[in-house]
Amino acid sequence: MSKALWIRQAYAIDPQSGREGTTDILVEKGVIAAIDGDLSGKRGLPEDPKALSPLKVQVVEAEGLLLTPGLIDLHVHLRVPGQVHKETMETGTRAAAAGGFTQILTLPNTQPVIDRPELVEEVLSLAKEKAVVRVHVAASVTLGQRGETLAPLGRLSRAGALAFTDDGRPVRDPFLMAMALTYARHLGKVILSHSEEPAFSRDGVCHQGKVALRLGLKGIPSLAESLGVMRDIQLALATGGRLHLMHLSTKESVEALRWGKAMGAPITAEVTPHHLALTTEELERWRYDPCTKVNPPLREEEDRQALVEALREGLIDIIATDHAPHSREEKSLSYEEAPFGISGLETAFPLLYETLVRPGHLKLTDLVRRLTVEPARLLGLPGGKLLEGEPADLSLFDLHTPFVVDPETFQSKGKNTPLKGRELRGRCVGTFVAGKEVWRLG
Ligand code: NCD
């Protein structure tokens, strides 16, 4: 059992309870035992923390630091099983901890695809052994993610799968998608949808627009996404199955989401930090370096603004990283040949803080909400809030000291990021899972 933990004088934000201000937290037996403006001399604690034995209580002086519930990311490619050259259970969960994430959902586009109950159990048991944060598993919608035959969703669910997705590719057959949504409804589970119409995305590698033309790269039009999004919303409406739209990137998708919610469709949506902060102009800077190659692609400034506005309004519910690590060799290929993906866990919070909160586009509490309570609610997870009796999953951030993103310092094996060299603020300096320190900067 972990020792007690006393975090002192942090600036806490808890969107669930509305708490915001200087806070002490006492953790005992892995859960939050007390929260108060100052716990000195209360709950059996001395006036002077130095009077405590460090063997019994870990004291963390957190004045000037932001304290949040541990962040929750429901879109992580841990690459387990089978793709250890890209990421492992150890490196991926250390990267999560370093980013302030205490719970992650790992996705099934692995080798083999997580489409059998034994594989769900294998990943969960590996996580028990090797993970430093809480790992949940999403299984595939179709066998082998081939889009032909439905995976055994009931058995996968009983083995512990929390959600289903063929992420990486869409479920091309609308009838199969409708079946999946119907099963999900009966199982009380959610389908996480990578909505895309492949007839339009084809072999595109970046957003279809002026930049693609200038660089001579094949484009993926916005329509490829919004057609898929609209189809999937219609299917959610028709079946009543819970649909979560992953990584929205276009203004048209935002309007489709608005329509779907107004119609009462059982839908939620997420957006990634990179789509909120970057545009296709980034390709001009990095030219043919595939660090900017991601699916869906970085879009236009007006798309980015629509996404930020939708997040501010609460139309988009959740921020998820789509952490997609790849090896150096893979990302050294030509722009056409390199795989899609950005390594995102370790830059998510600082990127969002620097580009959205500091300039005043988004309130800090809204940012934290979309990274904590909202993903917890969608997956029915405990945590995501600072309340007595809740699991003591906590993160500390330094909002003041600038740092330069250096992928070589990442815990993740994936060094693939277009943020290399950027100056940001909001670095995670400490992460606790059930009161146990799993990350400390420096
Ligand atoms: C994802 C990956 O690498 O698993 N990459 C990404 O750019 N989002 C899968 C995907 O192509 O969606």
Side-chain angles (χ1 to χ4, degrees), residues 75-77 79 83 86 107 109-110 166-169 194 196 247 272 274-275 293-297 321-326 331 339-342 416:
H75 197 146
V76 174
H77 296 279
R79 309 300 192 201
Q83 295 171 309
K86 295 178 195 273
L107 300 196
N109 62 335
T110 47
D166 272 5
D167 182 53
R169 35 177 96 159
H194 171 127
E196 179 185 319
H247 47 45
T272 71
H274 45 271
H275 290 110
K293 183 174 174 183
V294 66
N295 193 15
T321 67
D322 193 2
H323 176 72
H326 293 290
K331 278 292 197 180
F340 289 97
I342 290 176
N416 45 302

Side-chain angles (χ1 to χ4, degrees), residues 81 134 321 367 412:
R134 300 178 204 264
T321 67
L367 172 61
S412 170

Side-chain angles (χ1 to χ4, degrees), residues 141-188:
V141 173
T142 66
L143 286 179
Q145 294 193 316
R146 284 187 296 275
E148 292 159 3
T149 313
L150 217 52
L153 305 193
R155 288 197 298 128
L156 288 162
S157 194
R158 285 191 289 282
L162 283 195
F164 303 101
T165 181
D166 272 5
D167 182 53
R169 35 177 96 159
V171 178
R172 194 166 192 163
D173 177 347
F175 188 76
L176 210 50
M177 186 64 163
M179 294 241 300
L181 283 161
T182 305
Y183 273 96
R185 178 160 68 89
H186 289 292
L187 294 166

Side-chain angles (χ1 to χ4, degrees), residues 279-323:
T279 67
T280 187
E281 292 298 320
E282 209 62 28
L283 272 77
E284 292 280 23
R285 200 154 79 81
W286 289 98
R287 308 292 293 175
Y288 300 100
D289 182 336
C291 68
T292 56
K293 183 174 174 183
V294 66
N295 193 15
L298 301 175
R299 302 282 188 186
E300 308 274 356
E301 175 59 16
E302 49 188 38
D303 295 302
R304 192 192 68 79
Q305 282 181 18
L307 294 167
V308 173
E309 181 53 27
L311 190 69
R312 223 181 42 74
E313 282 176 49
L315 184 60
I316 293 182
D317 311 80
I318 287 167
I319 300 173
T321 67
D322 193 2
H323 176 72

Side-chain angles (χ1 to χ4, degrees), residues 28 111 197 319 326 410 435:
E28 284 169 351
Q111 272 172 5
E197 175 44 67
I319 300 173
H326 293 290
F410 283 2

